[in-house]
């Protein structure tokens, strides 16, 4: 008999549900306009408690796409944290309700660990131990992954996440917010060596992206005094130079950490892993250092329930279940 | 009250003055452009309050929670990417404010009508290079 897990993700903006059968993803539904066209309503930009208006339709769609009925579910996995308390509450309450109604076990999942375990959705899968650089709008972490459930954070940002640095610098360049991906677009046509920005280095494997934001601000302000059109005239070179600096700051710590731990299995995860400059840079480094690198498919990089389901699957195999007293934890650590 | 902070080295001293001036207030709102130093200032305030947590920007997460040594929560909001007041309400913003716990709110403009009578308003202006001018106004 097949083992079916339903997974719910509602930690921040995305409402998502996924069906995992014997460790394989059958569906990964993320609230989108297309789901709404079927059930009606509008997609909010910030979900928060609005998750509750959408969760049923997203779950129904995930079951339908998977061809699995609600009575065939064997377990329910959900995001316990970290995230926004009001958003997490919707997912956890739904999970508890379904667990009681169908008498199936509950599995709590750490959202940041799930980003890393997204690498086990499809081949090629990394070999333990590996290093994972998890980069998103809210997080920047370097994690040593010894096993599915054995992970250790070796470094993280002391202030802004790298995705936030991209988005906020994008705003300074006149892009809409969040516009980090537009820096990536413009960087393709620009010269990464044209402008130099001071990168900030903090001790150990930690990161800091607040200083570069300020450095770009000062630089642009000075240049705009001399030429009011400075940004428009140099948009591609500015984008390329800024992106280059941010990538170098990430890679410096990744290289250091890989050397110190003597690890050649390198993975990246999180929404910013979609950045083409980061992907290209990593591929270049892997040739130079003889690393094996792993980059998940885009739909598994951004927030999604399939990664929660895969994490839930490995927790279930280890018997790591939780009971109905579980509560969301906005500050959940691992 | 207006305080000049010439360089980042002066920030601890400036922060100490502001904490002392605003000690009656639990709700602090912070205004200022991108890169003005709102998060950096809150990091220093939290450090002086002996918060052990890593104070990071909540621009994406919207709300961060920290713990003081007395295990009291501190809420750190960033409403930069919030576009409507109904989204602010959806976050449970008013309920957080009613806890009576320390709240720092960056980019408060969208939620101004939801603020209680009593709050501290801090504006940070960065007219040139490293200079920061802190304007602190007591409301209520």
């Amino acid at each position: 008999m097949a083992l079916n897990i339903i997974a719910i993700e509602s930690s921040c903006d995305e409402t998502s549900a996924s069906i995992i059968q014997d460790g394989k993803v059958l569906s990964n539904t993320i609230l989108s306009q297309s789901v709404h066209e079927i059930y009606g309503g509008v997609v909010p930009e910030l979900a928060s408690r609005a998750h509750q208006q959408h969760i049923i339709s997203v779950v129904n769609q995930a079951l339908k796409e998977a061809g699995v009925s609600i009575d065939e579910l064997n377990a329910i996995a959900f995001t316990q944290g970290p995230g926004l308390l009001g958003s997490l509450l919707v997912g956890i309450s739904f999970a508890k309700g379904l667990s009681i109604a169908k008498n199936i076990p509950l599995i709590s999942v750490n959202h940041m660990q799930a980003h890393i375990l997204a690498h086990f959705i499809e081949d090629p899968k990394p070999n333990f131990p590996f290093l994972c650089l998890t980069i998103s709008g809210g997080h920047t972490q370097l994690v040593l992954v010894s096993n599915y459930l054995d992970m250790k954070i070796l470094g993280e940002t002391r202030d802004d996440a790298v995705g936030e640095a991209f988005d906020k610098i994008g705003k300074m360049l006149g892009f809409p917010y969040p516009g980090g991906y537009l820096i990536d677009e413009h960087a393709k046509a620009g010269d990464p060596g044209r402008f130099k920005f001071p990168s900030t280095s903090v001790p150990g494997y930690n990161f800091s992206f607040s200083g570069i934001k300020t450095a770009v601000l000062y630089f642009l302000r000075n240049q705009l005094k001399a030429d009011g059109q400075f940004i428009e005239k140099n948009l591609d070179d500015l984008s390329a130079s800024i992106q280059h600096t941010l990538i170098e700051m990430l890679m410096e710590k990744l290289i250091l950490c890989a050397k110190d731990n003597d690890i050649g299995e390198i993975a990246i995860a999180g929404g910013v892993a979609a950045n083409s400059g980061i992907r290209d840079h990593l591929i270049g480094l892997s040739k130079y250092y003889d690393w094996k690198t792993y980059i998940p498919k885009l739909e598994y990089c951004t927030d999604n329930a399939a990664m929660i389901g895969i994490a839930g699957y490995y927790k279930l195999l280890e018997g790591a279940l939780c009971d109905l007293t579980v509560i969301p934890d906005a500050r959940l650590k691992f | 009250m207006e305080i000049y902070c010439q360089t980042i080295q002066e920030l601890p001293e400036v922060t100490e003055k502001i904490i002392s001036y605003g000690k009656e207030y639990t709700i602090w709102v912070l205004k200022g452009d991108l890169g003005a130093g709102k998060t950096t200032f809150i990091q220093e305030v939290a450090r002086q309050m002996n918060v052990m947590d890593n104070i990071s920007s909540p621009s994406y997460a919207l709300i961060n929670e920290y713990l003081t040594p007395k295990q009291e929560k501190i809420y750190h909001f960033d409403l930069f990417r919030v576009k409507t007041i109904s989204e602010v309400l959806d976050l449970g913003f008013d309920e957080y404010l009613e806890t009576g716990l320390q709240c720092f709110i960056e980019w408060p403009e969208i939620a101004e009508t939801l603020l209680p009578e009593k709050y501290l308003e801090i504006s940070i202006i960065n007219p040139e290079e490293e200079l920061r001018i802190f304007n602190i106004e007591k409301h209520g």
Side-chain angles (χ1 to χ4, degrees):
Chain A
M1 204 181 80
L3 173 66
N4 295 316
I5 299 175
I6 183 166
I8 308 292
E9 154 66 18
S10 68
S11 65
C12 200
D13 293 347
E14 316 296 348
T15 315
S16 179
S18 171
I19 308 296
I20 311 288
Q21 188 170 76
D22 298 325
K24 299 261 180 306
V25 175
L26 297 187
S27 65
N28 182 33
T29 307
I30 297 169
L31 178 71
S32 64
Q33 206 58 53
S34 61
V35 173
H36 265 272
E37 276 160 13
I38 305 170
Y39 299 97
V42 284
V43 181
E45 275 184 65
L46 300 177
S48 325
R49 288 182 195 170
H51 283 296
Q52 65 198 1
Q53 293 155 27
H54 316 293
I55 196 158
I56 304 284
S57 56
V58 171
V59 164
N60 281 338
Q61 185 69 14
L63 285 165
K64 192 175 153 193
E65 279 175 30
V68 168
S69 89
I70 200 158
D71 294 317
E72 292 173 300
L73 297 174
N74 305 107
I76 176 158
F78 62 92
T79 308
Q80 188 191 2
L84 201 56
L85 203 59
S87 299
L88 292 166
L89 259 173
V90 177
I92 201 167
S93 305
F94 180 88
K96 284 182 183 180
L98 191 62
S99 166
I100 295 167
K102 295 292 165 193
N103 194 26
I104 51 175
L106 275 174
I107 312 160
S108 65
V109 172
N110 180 306
H111 180 86
M112 298 311 295
Q113 290 190 336
H115 266 303
I116 296 170
L117 293 174
H119 283 281
F120 296 93
I121 293 175
E122 289 180 347
D123 288 328
K125 294 165 185 160
N127 301 298
F128 299 115
F130 66 92
L131 272 184
C132 188
L133 177 65
T134 312
I135 40 180
S136 68
H139 294 275
T140 306
Q141 294 181 335
L142 254 173
V143 182
L144 175 65
V145 188
S146 303
N147 211 323
Y148 297 109
L149 306 181
D150 183 5
M151 305 183 187
K152 190 177 173 206
I153 298 173
L154 300 180
E156 61 190 327
T157 181
R158 309 310 298 175
D159 39 54
D160 297 358
V162 67
E164 183 181 341
F166 268 104
D167 287 337
K168 289 201 167 160
I169 293 170
K171 178 88 181 166
M172 292 175 191
L173 294 176
F175 298 139
Y177 187 87
Y181 69 98
L182 291 166
I183 293 187
D184 190 24
E185 284 301 307
H186 282 270
K188 286 172 188 160
D191 172 6
R194 170 89 186 281
F195 304 108
K196 295 273 180 252
F197 298 101
S199 57
T200 319
S201 200
V202 286
Y205 306 127
N206 289 326
F207 303 90
S208 167
F209 293 101
S210 171
I212 171 100
K213 185 179 72 183
T214 313
V216 172
L217 177 74
Y218 292 167
F219 174 79
L220 292 175
R221 194 161 55 192
N222 282 334
Q223 297 297 324
L224 284 167
K225 276 183 202 159
D227 177 1
Q229 304 293 309
F230 178 78
I231 294 175
E232 290 85 343
K233 285 179 190 164
N234 297 289
L235 197 53
D236 292 345
D237 288 348
L238 278 168
S239 296
S241 302
I242 289 161
Q243 173 150 311
H244 181 73
T245 310
L246 290 171
I247 294 174
E248 290 268 287
M249 288 166 75
L250 287 171
M251 296 303 155
E252 181 201 336
K253 294 299 168 86
L254 180 62
I255 293 165
L256 183 68
C257 200
K259 273 187 188 164
D260 289 353
N261 290 281
D262 194 23
I263 290 179
E265 296 272 322
I266 309 290
I268 56 170
V272 182
N275 179 289
S276 71
I278 290 175
R279 287 175 176 241
D280 291 348
H281 210 97
L282 193 65
I283 292 164
L285 285 176
S286 71
K287 284 178 188 148
Y288 185 81
Y289 289 106
D290 199 22
W291 288 344
K292 276 168 81 181
T293 53
Y294 303 89
I295 307 172
K297 203 198 269 180
L298 187 57
E299 74 168 300
Y300 302 131
C301 282
T302 48
D303 290 352
N304 68 88
M307 68 183 197
I308 304 299
I310 283 293
Y313 173 72
Y314 287 106
K315 285 193 88 166
L316 184 64
L317 293 185
E318 302 259 326
L321 305 174
C322 66
D323 61 31
L324 290 165
T325 60
V326 67
I327 54 169
D329 184 351
R331 305 158 26 91
L332 189 65
K333 309 268 197 295
F334 67 92
Chain B
M1 185 172 75
E2 191 175 76
I3 306 178
Y4 279 59
C5 184
Q6 301 289 347
T7 69
I8 189 99
Q9 281 72 35
E10 290 180 15
L11 185 63
E13 194 188 321
V14 168
T15 305
E16 210 181 318
K17 282 183 194 156
I18 296 173
I19 290 175
S20 162
Y21 183 72
K23 62 178 180 292
E24 311 277 310
Y25 292 77
T26 54
I27 296 169
W28 292 23
V29 305
L30 289 111
K31 296 182 174 179
D33 289 337
L34 275 180
K38 298 179 291 298
T39 305
T40 307
F41 170 67
I42 292 168
Q43 281 177 327
E44 181 57 26
V45 174
R47 196 188 64 80
Q48 295 194 16
M49 288 178 168
N50 298 313
V51 172
M52 295 301 287
D53 288 301
N54 182 18
I55 312 297
S56 58
S57 167
S59 289
Y60 182 75
L62 305 170
I63 305 167
N64 282 352
E65 297 181 16
Y66 314 119
L67 284 180
T68 68
K70 290 180 184 165
Q71 299 296 303
E72 279 183 345
K73 278 184 180 166
I74 291 178
Y75 297 115
H76 181 188
F77 295 79
D78 185 329
L79 304 179
F80 183 69
R81 68 191 189 96
V82 178
K83 295 203 178 74
T84 65
I85 194 123
S86 68
E87 288 175 335
V88 181
L89 288 168
D90 247 0
L91 286 172
F93 181 77
D94 45 336
E95 293 163 44
Y96 283 98
L97 298 194
E98 282 166 13
T99 58
L101 298 170
Q102 185 80 46
C103 292
F104 300 115
I105 307 155
E106 298 190 45
W107 301 96
E109 289 82 355
I110 185 102
E112 227 141 40
T113 55
L114 298 173
L115 292 174
E117 271 183 30
K118 189 174 176 178
Y119 67 93
L120 193 72
E121 179 175 337
I122 301 165
S123 303
I124 310 174
I125 305 156
N126 170 216
E128 56 185 67
E129 288 304 303
E130 280 203 65
L131 173 67
R132 300 293 193 282
I133 305 167
F134 288 79
N135 261 300
I136 301 117
E137 194 184 335
K138 288 178 175 173
H139 292 261

